[in-house]
């Protein structure tokens, strides 16, 4: 039995994908505020668990840690699946056409898919404008004036990563956009 149930009616594959996208979006909409609330009130929630003793403390702390781990992952998974199934639903046969919704889904999908490449290009452009490139971990700053080799290596790294993410996005979208045009 397949992991995700498939129907014999392939004419409705787009409807099934759109249904999955709605459920994934609902998961994202529910778990994102829950995650934000959990992490913003972490100290208050922990103060309820901290006075407990023994096995009750271990169970409560483990459950609390599990919720803290699962909630953001569920939000991220819900977002990614909503975008994936939403875009796929546009290009699969459906029982009802929704051209405006399809355009919105494709536009949002393009922005989300190409955002990593655009962000890395922006980081490289910012480094060129400022004459300084900054890496967070490990904390490093390379200046064009004092360390040009390391500076250009850093800019090259951002450009290579942008090209990689851009290429992967283009590979996903090229057949969809050509077939759509």
């Amino acid at each position: 039995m397949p992991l995700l149930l498939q129907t014999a009616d392939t004419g409705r594959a787009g409807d099934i994908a759109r249904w999955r996208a709605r459920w994934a979006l609902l998961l994202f909409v529910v778990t994102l505020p829950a995650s934000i609330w959990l992490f913003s009130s972490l100290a208050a929630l922990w103060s309820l668990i901290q006075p407990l003793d023994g096995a009750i403390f271990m169970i409560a702390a483990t459950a609390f840690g599990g919720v803290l781990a699962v909630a953001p992952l569920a939000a991220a998974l819900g977002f990614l699946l909503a975008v994936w199934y939403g875009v796929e639903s546009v290009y699969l046969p459906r029982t009802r056409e929704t051209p405006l919704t399809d355009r919105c889904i494709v536009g949002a999908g393009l922005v989300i898919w190409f955002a990593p490449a655009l962000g890395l290009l922006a980081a490289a452009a910012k480094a060129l404008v400022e004459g300084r490139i900054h890496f967070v971990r490990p904390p490093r700053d390379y200046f064009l004036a004092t360390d040009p080799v390391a500076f250009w290596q850093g800019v090259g790294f951002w450009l290579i990563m942008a090209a990689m993410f851009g290429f992967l996005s283009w590979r996903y979208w090229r057949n969809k956009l050509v077939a759509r045009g």
Side-chain angles (χ1 to χ4, degrees):
M1 182 174 189
L3 183 62
L4 299 173
L5 298 176
Q6 303 290 327
T7 63
D9 183 14
T10 57
R12 295 193 34 181
D15 295 330
I16 293 168
R18 187 71 54 99
W19 178 82
R20 288 177 180 161
R22 284 188 193 112
W23 277 104
L25 187 60
L26 179 65
L27 175 69
F28 171 70
V29 167
V30 168
T31 55
L32 181 66
S35 298
I36 292 170
W37 176 78
L38 280 168
F39 282 96
S40 66
S41 59
L42 187 64
L45 293 171
W46 182 249
S47 68
L48 298 172
I49 296 171
Q50 196 171 9
L52 301 174
D53 269 342
I56 300 293
F57 171 78
M58 290 302 291
I59 292 169
T62 303
F64 185 57
V67 169
L68 286 175
V70 169
L73 289 175
L77 185 65
F79 177 74
L80 293 174
L81 288 176
V83 172
W84 179 270
Y85 283 125
V87 169
E88 290 298 316
S89 74
V90 171
Y91 298 100
L92 293 172
R94 287 173 292 162
T95 57
R96 195 171 57 115
E97 295 297 319
T98 54
L100 181 61
T101 304
D102 292 350
R103 285 189 194 108
C104 291
I105 290 172
V106 168
L110 280 167
V111 168
I112 291 166
W113 245 268
F114 283 95
L118 295 174
L120 291 168
L121 282 175
K126 179 182 174 191
L128 290 173
V129 168
E130 291 179 351
R132 165 187 170 261
I133 192 160
H134 174 73
F135 291 99
V136 178
R137 297 211 188 225
R140 301 265 195 264
D141 284 307
Y142 300 113
F143 295 93
L144 178 60
T146 58
D147 197 358
V149 173
F151 173 80
W152 287 112
Q153 285 176 343
V155 171
F157 170 75
W158 289 132
L159 292 175
I160 289 169
M161 294 305 292
M164 182 194 70
F165 283 118
F167 175 74
L168 293 173
S169 299
W170 172 76
R171 287 286 293 169
Y172 176 77
W173 280 98
R174 72 179 175 153
N175 292 333
K176 293 182 180 332
L177 295 177
V178 170
R180 207 160 155 77

